[in-house]
Amino acid sequence: MARRAIPILKRLVQSSDNPVNVGLASRVDRTRSVTYMPRPGDGTPRAVTLIPGDGIGPLVTGAVEQVMAAMHAPVYFERYEIHGDMKSVPQEVMDSIKKNKVCLKGGLNTPVGGGVSSLNVQLRKELDLYASLVHCCNYPGLPTRHENVDIVVIRENTEGEYAGLEHEVVPGVVESLKVITKFCSERIAQYAFEYAYLNNRKKVTAVHKANIMKLADGLFLESCREVATKYPGIKYNEIIVDNCCMQLVAKPEQFDVMVTPNLYGNLVANTAAGIAGGTGVMPGGNVGADHAVFEQGASAGNVGNMKVLEQKKANPVALLLSSAMMLRHLRFPSFADRLESAVKRVISEGKNHTKDLGGNCTTQEVVDAVIAALD
Amino acid sequence: MASQIVRRVLRARASEICAAQSATNPNSARVFSCFDRSLSSAAASGSDLIRATLFPGDGIGPEIAESVKQVFKAADVPIEWEEHYVGQEVDPRTQSFLTWESLESVRRNKVGLKGPMATPIGKGHRSLNLTLRKELNLYANVRPCYSLPGYKTRYDDVNLITIRENTEGEYSGLEHQVVRGVVESLKIITRQASLRVAEYAFHYAKTHGRDRVSAIHKANIMQKTDGLFLKCCREVAEKYPEIKYEEVVIDNCCMMLVKNPALFDVLVMPNLYGDIISDLCAGLIGGLGLTPSCNIGEGGIALAEAVHGSAPDIAGKNLANPTALTLSAVTMLRHLELHDKADRIQNAILNTIAEGKYRTADLGGSSSTTDFTKAIIDHL
């Protein structure tokens, strides 16, 4: 953990000296001076598990593969086919992810009411990917109704309402258990504050419904408050989830980092992604102590529908930006920067937008534009 | 067996009465015979004065209630108000500050209007909203959300209704600590409650001329609970073939609502999702100060309420905005099938706000409550 923190901290210090770069998450950062001194051997190609997934998944992961090849990035992909209607994730895929530690995946479709438990949730629980992160911000060139949006939603990924413990008490009465534990709440709060600290964020907001679910969300809030005392430089406040959604729609600029339990995180992340430009654009990933799985940030529309699939007009931007996050996670910051600036340039030019952004391009056209924009 | 015969006789008698008036919906009667009876009885008394209970509430409540009374009088609405106030001591029969007489009055009159009530802090009594909900068996919360022309928000084309199941789901309040550091909270979904709210949603869609009902769920993760809710919605949808029915996962719904709210018409959902989505929709049109709301109870009870707070800082200063309470009173009129009066008052409010000359402080203007009320009356 400290090993990974050192290059990031180095960059933080150096970028504060350099007037061009402002902070670690600088957006259009073309003139990065030499800041990263790799260890010998850091450039050997890394293996990354690739799961194309269902629906538009193969289309968008194909886009990432093309762009990576064009950049000659030091990653190579090990493909594994999984589909959402399988009973469980095959053992070979799990072994591959455990070996490579990093995975990139497209959406997996969970059939509604089909008695098949979600493979996405299974993957997260088995690999203990306890934090899900979605970064929602305005990209210049995207038409949105809201300005000044820059929200990171950090969502607890393993327990809460997604415990999957349901049973029928008597015919016509069904119970579902929502489980909140101090252990999981503490570690997600710790991750949120650590993220804020390492990325120079000023405020962490905890989202809850503790006026109704006093014990469950009360425990979550208690853990957040305890962790907040350890980071006195970061402001902490709490907001009830229905008020939070209303504020997101009215004044999104008041939010910075948000930490939430499982279900509220799903709603808040999708709402925040929607106001910032759509879920087809926002990057995100799931991270645990040992592994990381990168995918399209907010879950709505990550499988797409038949029309988008047939016309091949899926939006690859979200997965491209997530793969840039992945490259940074693998400690290839220069490649990550190049990819991110190319994608942002394509978005701001506005000539190659897919249907969900108001344009009419196919996925392939967007990929070609990104490859052309790489420097 | 005997109860079925009695029910059938009563229904026949009720339908005789309602045959003289405009049609109420006959095909929901199979499941909710008492519901049907009360609808017809409400329609039957359309010609003489209808008694309605009024809870002015605290803070700005009395001022905006006065506003509503003036507007209704100017519009010649045949309603006689019966005012009740929240008491100062706990009534042992209801274990809250609401007296037994107030509750009985609502049960008798079947319609009511509630202003904002501040729940006093302390123990030994139930919260006021909880008391009302449990005693009157208010099972559905209806919030019509439409963009107010003239009050510009980022969204101009919102025109949807959220119907939220109000009794069970995640808000059952059944939590316990299993061992230190592990808490369980129960989410209960029953067939009866889901059928009830789905019936009301489709009935509402039919009587208000809406053509689509969307059920919001997370049944890909919570398969049995939300699956049961969806099954009940599907069953009811089959009885209304002229209304389109669709199911939307809640994360898709959130995203679609903030990108393009015109995609939705009537939304029906369980308790937690309903809470969040109805507040999100209120945010789309300008906040809780402008949103009407109505609670529907067993036996055809309709309690319209203003969902904003009691704003003690501006209480008594003639600055409050009566829009939310007046629009809620309009939904109450629609429930009573007094559609022409409801339209008149609603158009008057919309025109007043659209004109922009008289606006209260929260809408960016500087008029007082009385000026705003007078402007609405002038527009009638």
Side-chain angles (χ1 to χ4, degrees):
Chain A
M1 185 54 227
R3 221 168 31 120
R4 258 182 266 165
I6 290 173
I8 301 171
L9 283 172
K10 232 188 265 178
R11 238 175 297 160
L12 250 181
V13 171
Q14 252 152 347
S15 57
S16 59
D17 295 335
N18 189 339
V20 175
N21 300 338
V22 184
L24 186 61
S26 47
R27 298 182 213 314
V28 193
D29 185 26
R30 239 105 56 72
T31 58
R32 177 192 274 273
S33 48
V34 174
T35 54
Y36 175 53
M37 189 169 78
R39 262 185 300 259
D42 267 359
T44 46
R46 290 284 305 268
V48 170
T49 312
L50 180 72
I51 300 177
D54 296 322
I56 59 170
L59 207 56
V60 293
T61 49
V64 172
E65 282 179 302
Q66 284 181 41
V67 175
M68 290 289 176
M71 274 205 306
H72 304 293
V75 290
Y76 63 94
F77 292 106
E78 291 177 7
R79 270 174 160 261
Y80 288 96
E81 296 283 336
I82 312 185
H83 296 284
D85 43 8
M86 290 181 177
K87 277 277 158 69
S88 67
V89 182
Q91 191 53 40
E92 50 171 7
V93 183
M94 298 302 280
D95 290 337
S96 161
I97 302 181
K98 287 186 184 149
K99 174 174 66 84
N100 296 332
K101 306 250 184 270
V102 176
C103 167
L104 185 70
K105 81 182 240 299
L108 288 171
N109 187 22
T110 312
V112 171
V116 179
S117 75
S118 164
L119 288 188
N120 295 313
V121 178
Q122 222 184 53
L123 205 60
R124 290 168 194 157
K125 284 194 188 162
E126 268 210 49
L127 297 170
D128 202 24
L129 304 169
Y130 62 85
S132 160
L133 201 153
V134 184
H135 184 197
C136 308
C137 65
N138 281 127
Y139 291 101
L142 268 188
T144 55
R145 294 182 225 244
H146 299 81
E147 308 293 314
N148 283 326
V149 182
D150 188 2
I151 302 176
V152 177
V153 182
I154 295 182
R155 156 193 176 193
E156 206 291 324
N157 224 357
T158 53
E159 55 168 24
E161 297 83 350
Y162 288 34
L165 299 160
E166 300 181 294
H167 64 284
E168 187 165 37
V169 182
V170 291
V173 178
V174 186
E175 252 178 29
S176 167
L177 289 174
K178 161 180 168 165
V179 181
I180 301 270
T181 58
K182 192 156 172 63
F183 175 65
C184 290
S185 306
E186 231 168 39
R187 66 181 183 174
I188 191 70
Q190 179 65 35
Y191 183 79
F193 277 92
E194 204 171 50
Y195 177 92
Y197 167 59
L198 290 173
N199 283 288
N200 202 17
R201 295 272 180 172
K202 306 284 186 286
K203 191 160 70 150
V204 173
T205 308
V207 179
H208 67 96
K209 189 81 188 173
N211 49 348
I212 306 283
M213 288 185 261
K214 301 189 168 86
L215 287 183
D217 287 348
L219 181 56
F220 179 77
L221 281 185
E222 229 180 78
S223 321
C224 289
R225 283 177 201 145
E226 271 174 41
V227 176
T229 56
K230 298 195 215 139
Y231 291 85
I234 298 178
K235 280 203 278 262
Y236 167 72
N237 63 351
E238 300 167 356
I239 188 169
I240 302 187
V241 60
D242 45 11
N243 192 15
C244 171
C245 285
M246 221 179 346
Q247 297 294 328
L248 267 176
V249 176
K251 281 197 293 241
E253 55 269 7
Q254 61 182 295
F255 295 111
D256 194 355
V257 176
M258 302 173 81
V259 62
T260 81
N262 214 334
L263 180 66
Y264 311 146
N266 191 1
L267 306 188
V268 170
N270 279 286
T271 309
I275 61 174
T279 52
V281 177
M282 304 303 151
N286 309 284
V287 67
D290 308 309
H291 314 280
V293 173
F294 293 89
E295 54 177 347
Q296 174 182 313
S299 54
N302 61 359
V303 179
N305 54 28
M306 280 316 304
K307 208 164 61 159
V308 170
L309 183 57
E310 280 165 23
Q311 296 175 335
K312 296 205 191 317
K313 288 191 180 170
N315 198 347
V317 173
L319 207 60
L320 283 170
L321 290 173
S322 299
S323 58
M325 277 171 70
M326 178 186 80
L327 287 172
R328 247 186 228 111
H329 182 89
L330 291 168
R331 287 188 290 164
F332 302 128
S334 167
F335 286 97
D337 288 351
R338 282 169 60 199
L339 176 52
E340 238 177 54
S341 4
V343 174
K344 283 181 191 156
R345 210 176 310 166
V346 169
I347 299 178
S348 68
E349 276 169 12
K351 288 195 286 239
N352 291 297
H353 282 183
T354 47
K355 193 124 185 292
D356 57 327
L357 302 177
N360 212 1
C361 288
T362 61
T363 312
Q364 192 54 47
E365 285 170 14
V366 181
V367 172
D368 294 336
V370 169
I371 294 178
L374 283 171
D375 44 31
Chain B
M1 184 59 199
S3 62
Q4 279 186 352
I5 301 174
V6 171
R7 225 179 284 154
R8 228 174 285 164
V9 169
L10 282 170
R11 209 184 308 143
R13 216 168 283 166
S15 51
E16 271 178 57
I17 303 174
C18 87
Q21 311 283 338
S22 51
T24 43
N25 200 343
N27 50 10
S28 56
R30 212 172 311 127
V31 187
F32 296 111
S33 52
C34 56
F35 182 58
D36 187 25
R37 236 180 301 144
S38 56
L39 274 182
S40 51
S41 67
S45 52
S47 46
D48 31 30
L49 274 185
I50 306 171
R51 292 183 64 91
T53 314
L54 175 65
F55 293 103
D58 310 311
I60 54 174
E63 305 167 54
I64 51 182
E66 185 55 45
S67 230
V68 173
K69 281 196 280 188
Q70 285 175 8
V71 172
F72 271 37
K73 207 160 78 169
D76 289 322
V77 178
I79 286 197
E80 188 191 318
W81 297 106
E82 206 182 289
E83 285 191 28
H84 283 270
Y85 287 88
V86 174
Q88 294 300 317
E89 313 142 344
V90 177
D91 185 344
R93 292 166 294 177
T94 60
Q95 296 201 318
S96 87
F97 289 97
L98 279 170
T99 56
W100 183 255
E101 280 79 28
S102 321
L103 294 173
E104 272 303 300
S105 145
V106 182
R107 283 196 199 105
R108 220 184 0 203
N109 297 337
K110 301 258 184 261
V111 282
L113 183 64
K114 173 175 141 339
M117 287 186 191
T119 304
I121 302 179
K123 299 195 198 289
H125 63 86
R126 287 195 288 186
S127 100
L128 297 166
N129 290 318
L130 186 66
T131 314
L132 280 169
R133 190 161 27 99
K134 289 263 148 95
E135 295 288 333
L136 301 171
N137 214 344
L138 302 173
Y139 62 87
N141 181 309
V142 180
R143 263 194 220 177
C145 296
Y146 36 83
S147 296
L148 298 173
Y151 183 57
K152 190 117 183 48
T153 56
R154 293 184 174 105
Y155 298 88
D156 290 324
D157 49 356
V158 185
N159 187 2
L160 50 87
I161 319 240
T162 59
I163 299 183
R164 158 196 173 192
E165 204 288 319
N166 218 0
T167 57
E168 53 171 28
E170 296 83 348
Y171 293 3
S172 315
L174 299 160
E175 301 181 294
H176 63 284
Q177 183 164 248
V178 181
V179 293
R180 243 181 92 81
V182 179
V183 175
E184 256 178 22
S185 170
L186 289 174
K187 162 180 170 167
I188 316 264
I189 299 272
T190 58
R191 199 176 148 70
Q192 188 209 10
S194 307
L195 274 177
R196 211 165 40 167
V197 74
E199 267 293 344
Y200 184 74
F202 278 90
H203 167 81
Y204 187 96
K206 182 147 181 182
T207 48
H208 288 78
R210 297 276 170 169
D211 45 33
R212 225 167 2 119
V213 172
S214 315
I216 313 293
H217 65 97
K218 189 79 187 166
N220 45 355
I221 303 288
M222 288 183 263
Q223 291 168 352
K224 296 206 180 104
T225 38
D226 285 350
L228 177 59
F229 181 77
L230 284 184
K231 223 170 20 172
C232 298
C233 289
R234 280 178 209 143
E235 274 177 31
V236 177
E238 279 166 26
K239 292 192 256 168
Y240 293 79
E242 67 278 8
I243 297 181
K244 281 201 258 325
Y245 168 70
E246 62 178 2
E247 297 169 359
V248 187
V249 181
I250 184 155
D251 42 11
N252 272 336
C253 171
C254 282
M255 198 224 354
M256 281 152 55
L257 269 176
V258 292
K259 289 212 93 180
N260 189 6
L263 290 172
F264 288 108
D265 197 356
V266 178
L267 299 162
V268 61
M269 333 167 242
N271 213 336
L272 176 69
Y273 311 144
D275 193 3
I276 299 176
I277 300 281
S278 56
D279 277 4
L280 209 162
C281 296
L284 294 177
I285 61 168
L288 291 176
L290 299 171
T291 314
S293 168
C294 187
N295 295 303
I296 308 293
E298 278 279 11
I301 296 180
L303 185 64
E305 64 174 349
V307 282
H308 53 74
S310 53
D313 45 340
I314 55 172
K317 296 192 188 147
N318 203 7
L319 291 171
N321 188 349
T323 308
L325 196 63
T326 323
L327 285 175
S328 304
V330 166
T331 49
M332 189 183 83
L333 288 177
R334 288 195 200 282
H335 178 90
L336 289 169
E337 312 243 329
L338 296 168
H339 289 293
D340 48 347
K341 300 272 186 225
D343 285 333
R344 265 182 80 197
I345 301 178
Q346 187 175 329
N347 288 333
I349 299 177
L350 294 183
N351 287 335
T352 315
I353 297 181
E355 216 182 39
K357 272 203 302 209
Y358 293 96
R359 280 197 192 173
T360 47
D362 57 326
L363 293 179
S366 54
S367 307
S368 63
T369 314
T370 38
D371 284 341
F372 191 69
T373 316
K374 198 164 153 309
I376 300 178
I377 295 176
D378 289 335
H379 273 104
L380 275 173

